[in-house]
Amino acid sequence: MKNTTLIIFMVSMFSYAQSTREKMETGPFEPNWESLKQYEVPKWFRDAKFGIWAHWGPQCEPEAGDWYARSIYNQDQSQYKHHLQNYGHPSEFGFKDVINEWKAENWNPEKLVALYKRAGAKYFFAMGNHHDNLDMWDSKYQEWNSVDIGPKKNILAGWAKAAKKNDLPFGVSIHSAHAWRWYESAQMTDETGAYAGIPYDGKLTKKDGEGKWWEGLDPQKLYAQDHLLSQDSKNINSIHNQWGWENGATPPSEEYCLNFYNRTVDMINKFNPDLLYFDDTALPLWPVSKVGLDIAAHYYNSNMKLHNGKLEAVLFGKILTDEQKECMVWDVERGAPDNIQEKPWQSCTCIGGWHYDRGVYNKNAYKSPKTVMQMLVDIVSKNGNLLLNIPVRGDGSIDEKELKVVEGITQWMDINSECIYETRPWHIYGEGPKAESSNPINAQGFNEGKGVPYSSEDIRFTKKGDILYAVIMECPENNKEVIIKSLATDSPYYNEGLDEVEILGGKMESFKFNKDGLSVKLSNTQHLISPIVLKIF
């Protein structure tokens, strides 16, 4: 009888532990869209304009690019072939084992964050977890975390300390809401070959770990694959039509949603991030669960409590409705809208792939400093901020080609940053052939680098008080004259009070306002770094 009572008690305690819910901070914000409309973007973020991101985790260890932990479970993907050659078959050596290989032995967060601050970053982002579902801190609710396995380091704590030392606002990106659907490929098998029909390791259980390095760990806490496959799941690309849990995606369980809530609130409570990025349509797990609303309310109320009743937090989501843009900041992935936005927004992109890719390095395919600066100027002219990822190698370092890109950004910002920081949009964002061409956003973004290339006729505008900045996006050849048509004397934007012109970091032969525009004759353009900034006052 005593043993039976003990068993019942233990079962009840286990059930209670499974259903324990982190307390949600109360305050002005309630977990509904109407209440979240109280949100106002803090001035510090509007002034900052430029942040740098370390989108870094165990998927960087193979140096084979983004979404590695998903693609190794599909025979048609290049990462599957890379995995087979370097680690073995994913039925025997899956992504859980890649995590064990990841040691981050050369990681120096203070050195990297200081480098990024020197390059002009006004805030720093770290990745808290990705779709691969590994938490990068001493997570209370995820046994698969970087403190207990892999590098056995508290990655977020290291980044947070470095950001604080460099006096930079600290952001965390959370991507793990999608692990449920994203990892479904790990349930499958090869279709052909020697391993045809042999299951990958996505369906393993805790019991299967006896005698192995992961003994005591439950792979289902990582892969979350104790559920039926979503519709058309064997098609590796079908996930893109199911990102918002629509079109036949198998809905996540209540337990899964609760676990996501607890993990995220635990992270917020431990690190109090100034910025929080969700790689989700609107909020995580919306609309199949309201835990994203709960997290948003908790985050805002917690931040206000830290700042004596003033909200200084920034929360990001993708593919937002006009109503949702009242509640948080719109993030555009790898792209920009084609006009000035009424509300501040952010573009997130990277100089290479999201996760480190040795192939990008070998092909010399990183974005150039000029390309990054052209993107930054265009985004800022439209009331946006740029969050730029510098891919980090598995060992925690960046390569020498990436360092040169960062140094190039530093060089441009040293001369021209006054046209970026603390600025606001002008009457129009720009003029020229690229501004006149159509380049619509596709879903959450993905329109960067498309359309006609920049020329010396492409101008972008920002303003700071009574000062107007006109940015020439491409350096003209042979000291060519540049004409800014929007500043013609008969233009509705002409202001006779603006009668002085300087080139930041350079010299000009002459300038003149007339009916054709502001005509500027440049001097020694070979010494200028594009984009070229005119200061008009």
Side-chain angles (χ1 to χ4, degrees):
M1 185 68 178
K2 287 183 179 180
N3 288 340
T4 303
T5 303
L6 179 60
I7 291 170
I8 292 172
F9 173 77
M10 290 176 66
V11 169
S12 65
M13 288 301 292
F14 176 78
S15 299
Y16 174 79
Q18 291 295 95
S19 61
T20 298
R21 195 175 198 274
E22 285 285 322
K23 180 183 177 183
M24 187 170 67
E25 187 66 56
T26 58
F29 289 92
E30 297 178 0
N32 60 70
W33 290 112
E34 190 61 34
S35 180
L36 295 180
K37 284 183 182 180
Q38 302 173 68
Y39 179 70
E40 293 185 10
V41 180
K43 182 178 181 297
W44 76 261
F45 178 75
R46 297 199 67 188
D47 291 344
K49 302 302 181 186
F50 181 48
I52 288 183
W53 189 4
H55 188 283
W56 179 55
Q59 288 180 87
C60 297
E61 175 64 23
E63 298 193 351
D66 201 30
W67 282 30
Y68 184 89
R70 172 174 166 79
S71 296
I72 63 171
Y73 300 109
N74 184 285
Q75 272 185 293
D76 296 330
Q77 301 298 301
S78 61
Q79 287 140 315
Y80 168 91
K81 298 175 178 65
H82 178 278
H83 191 82
L84 206 62
Q85 293 169 3
N86 290 276
Y87 297 110
H89 194 264
S91 64
E92 300 168 347
F93 193 108
F95 191 70
K96 68 183 188 310
D97 304 288
V98 174
I99 293 172
N100 189 46
E101 296 286 310
W102 180 44
K103 303 304 179 188
E105 63 273 19
N106 294 320
W107 177 50
N108 187 333
E110 292 191 5
K111 180 180 178 180
L112 286 174
V113 175
L115 176 72
Y116 300 151
K117 181 177 182 179
R118 178 68 187 86
K122 294 295 186 180
Y123 52 100
F124 172 76
F125 251 95
M127 189 167 69
N129 54 38
H130 199 250
H131 314 318
D132 61 30
N133 220 18
L134 180 82
D135 284 352
M136 308 290 201
W137 70 95
D138 54 339
S139 181
K140 286 167 58 178
Y141 297 96
Q142 172 57 303
E143 61 189 42
W144 294 84
N145 67 72
S146 66
V147 176
D148 292 333
I149 57 176
K152 297 189 176 179
K153 297 175 182 178
N154 193 326
I155 302 297
L156 277 193
W159 286 127
K161 180 181 177 182
K164 184 175 182 179
K165 183 175 181 179
N166 284 279
D167 196 28
L168 290 179
F170 179 56
V172 177
S173 67
I174 296 292
H175 310 246
S176 61
H178 290 285
W180 175 278
R181 172 64 183 86
W182 193 80
Y183 260 138
E184 284 185 3
S185 57
Q187 289 195 44
M188 300 180 196
T189 70
D190 283 3
E191 296 288 329
T192 60
Y195 288 87
I198 298 176
Y200 301 140
D201 69 336
K203 294 289 282 185
L204 292 177
T205 65
K206 186 174 183 177
K207 185 177 179 181
D208 296 315
E210 293 179 3
K212 298 182 172 62
W213 75 261
W214 49 277
E215 184 171 5
L217 293 170
D218 184 357
Q220 287 310 304
K221 300 294 185 185
L222 180 71
Y223 296 124
Q225 289 308 300
D226 189 16
H227 67 263
L228 296 175
L229 291 172
S230 299
Q231 183 179 314
D232 198 27
S233 188
K234 288 188 177 182
N235 175 0
I236 195 71
N237 295 314
S238 63
I239 190 172
H240 299 294
N241 293 323
Q242 298 173 339
W243 203 248
W245 304 99
E246 69 274 67
N247 300 321
T250 299
S253 68
E254 185 177 343
E255 180 185 10
Y256 179 86
C257 296
L258 174 60
N259 178 257
F260 177 83
Y261 168 86
N262 280 336
R263 287 161 65 184
T264 307
V265 170
D266 173 48
M267 184 281 295
I268 292 169
N269 293 345
K270 280 185 166 77
F271 298 102
N272 299 307
D274 303 287
L275 312 97
L276 180 57
Y277 169 107
F278 287 126
D279 191 4
D280 298 274
T281 302
L283 286 167
L285 300 166
W286 179 262
V288 295
S289 170
K290 69 179 290 291
V291 297
L293 289 168
D294 293 340
I295 293 168
H298 173 81
Y299 179 53
Y300 287 161
N301 289 331
S302 297
N303 184 269
M304 291 185 72
K305 191 173 181 180
L306 283 173
H307 295 94
N308 299 315
K310 185 178 181 182
L311 182 57
E312 297 285 2
V314 187
L315 175 65
F316 302 92
K318 298 180 176 179
I319 316 182
L320 304 182
T321 65
D322 287 343
E323 179 187 48
Q324 291 163 349
K325 287 177 183 177
E326 300 280 341
C327 306
M328 56 202 301
V329 173
W330 180 35
D331 181 85
V332 177
E333 183 174 351
R334 288 187 179 271
D338 56 8
N339 219 323
I340 295 172
Q341 299 299 297
E342 178 185 353
K343 293 185 176 298
W345 58 283
Q346 176 179 268
S347 175
C348 63
T349 192
C350 43
I351 64 169
W354 284 119
H355 287 99
Y356 191 87
D357 189 338
R358 178 57 55 170
V360 175
Y361 172 91
N362 291 337
K363 295 173 186 175
N364 292 315
Y366 291 129
K367 287 182 175 71
S368 68
K370 180 176 76 171
T371 296
V372 174
M373 294 300 95
Q374 287 172 335
M375 292 175 60
L376 175 63
V377 169
D378 180 66
I379 288 163
V380 171
S381 75
K382 297 170 181 174
N383 204 25
N385 285 31
L386 173 62
L387 176 62
L388 180 70
N389 175 46
I390 308 295
V392 180
R393 300 184 64 191
D395 69 0
S397 66
I398 64 172
D399 65 52
E400 79 281 1
K401 295 179 183 179
E402 293 177 300
L403 180 59
K404 286 184 178 179
V405 175
V406 175
E407 289 172 345
I409 292 170
T410 307
Q411 186 180 7
W412 189 91
M413 293 292 267
D414 279 349
I415 297 168
N416 299 299
S417 63
E418 68 174 88
C419 79
I420 301 296
Y421 304 135
E422 300 176 9
T423 62
R424 298 294 183 264
W426 192 49
H427 302 291
I428 56 174
Y429 77 89
E431 67 177 52
K434 196 167 182 69
E436 294 164 5
S437 65
S438 177
N439 186 18
I441 284 176
N442 176 24
Q444 64 260 47
F446 301 111
N447 65 341
E448 73 178 26
K450 297 182 179 180
V452 299
Y454 283 115
S455 72
S456 59
E457 295 179 22
D458 287 297
I459 313 296
R460 294 294 179 267
F461 301 104
T462 64
K463 69 172 185 177
K464 185 186 298 181
D466 294 330
I467 299 171
L468 174 65
Y469 297 95
V471 185
I472 306 164
M473 298 297 267
E474 189 67 67
C475 188
E477 297 179 359
N478 303 319
N479 298 346
K480 176 184 173 184
E481 183 181 44
V482 174
I483 298 176
I484 303 174
K485 297 176 183 178
S486 301
L487 293 175
T489 51
D490 59 356
S491 166
Y493 310 125
Y494 175 69
N495 179 354
E496 62 181 12
L498 299 175
D499 55 7
E500 294 292 332
V501 181
E502 294 178 358
I503 297 181
L504 300 186
K507 296 180 181 179
M508 71 178 74
E509 291 184 11
S510 62
F511 72 89
K512 181 171 64 174
F513 291 91
N514 56 40
K515 62 181 179 61
D516 295 321
L518 169 59
S519 173
V520 178
K521 183 71 173 176
L522 305 178
S523 176
N524 296 324
T525 55
Q526 65 268 27
H527 299 299
L528 296 173
I529 306 172
S530 296
I532 300 166
V533 181
L534 301 180
K535 181 177 181 179
I536 307 167
F537 55 100

